[in-house]
Amino acid sequence: QVQLVESGGGLVQAGGSLRLSCAASGRTSTSVAGGWFRQAPGKEREFVAAITFSGGSTDYADSVKGRFTISRDGAKGTNLLMNSLKPEDTAVYFCGIVGYHAAGMDLRDRLDYDFWGRGTQVTVSS
């Protein structure tokens, strides 16, 4: 099993910045990628950003490209630096880990993630 704990959420004004962290523990040796998703009230959980642990390749949703940066933190943790925040970025942010490599893996698909944290609230005021 893998345990994930998010931190760094909070309340910020539009245009501000926040840095989210995801600490991973447990059996992380086979984990191949980490990602961040978010869920606003009444909406489905949506992809934000992902990073592979071996090559460091990154991917971003169009809505955050150029404003958010995902990076590795230690062996299997991740950070999400969020700049130029907008009110529409308000959501609960979840970090996830893909525990095992699988053919056809899609890091934008939440169903390909095996473990999740409990989430951290990000609120951006206008």
Side-chain angles (χ1 to χ4, degrees), residues 16-67:
S17 299
L18 281 175
R19 179 176 176 268
L20 304 184
S21 295
C22 178
S25 60
R27 296 186 175 182
T28 62
S29 60
T30 60
S31 299
V32 296
W36 287 88
F37 287 67
R38 65 188 182 187
Q39 188 166 15
K43 295 188 177 181
E44 291 192 355
R45 191 172 299 190
E46 66 173 4
F47 170 75
V48 175
I51 187 167
T52 60
F53 292 139
S54 59
S57 298
T58 59
D59 189 22
Y60 297 92
D62 288 344
S63 60
V64 307
K65 199 171 294 184
R67 299 189 297 123

Side-chain angles (χ1 to χ4, degrees), residues 36-120:
W36 287 88
F37 287 67
R38 65 188 182 187
Q39 188 166 15
K43 295 188 177 181
E44 291 192 355
R45 191 172 299 190
E46 66 173 4
F47 170 75
V48 175
I51 187 167
T52 60
F53 292 139
S54 59
S57 298
T58 59
D59 189 22
Y60 297 92
D62 288 344
S63 60
V64 307
K65 199 171 294 184
R67 299 189 297 123
F68 290 12
T69 303
I70 189 171
S71 60
R72 289 178 53 181
D73 184 0
K76 299 293 170 76
T78 57
N79 292 320
L80 185 68
L81 177 61
M82 306 184 295
N83 293 323
S84 303
L85 283 162
K86 305 175 181 180
E88 50 263 43
D89 294 318
T90 295
V92 178
Y93 284 70
F94 298 89
C95 68
I97 272 190
V98 178
Y100 316 93
H101 181 269
M105 182 175 64
D106 181 1
L107 295 183
R108 292 184 171 222
D109 187 347
R110 60 184 178 88
L111 298 180
D112 278 352
Y113 288 75
D114 300 291
F115 304 100
W116 292 96
R118 293 188 175 185
T120 185

Side-chain angles (χ1 to χ4, degrees), residues 5-20:
V5 178
E6 302 97 337
S7 62
L11 173 64
V12 64
Q13 287 188 332
S17 299
L18 281 175
R19 179 176 176 268
L20 304 184

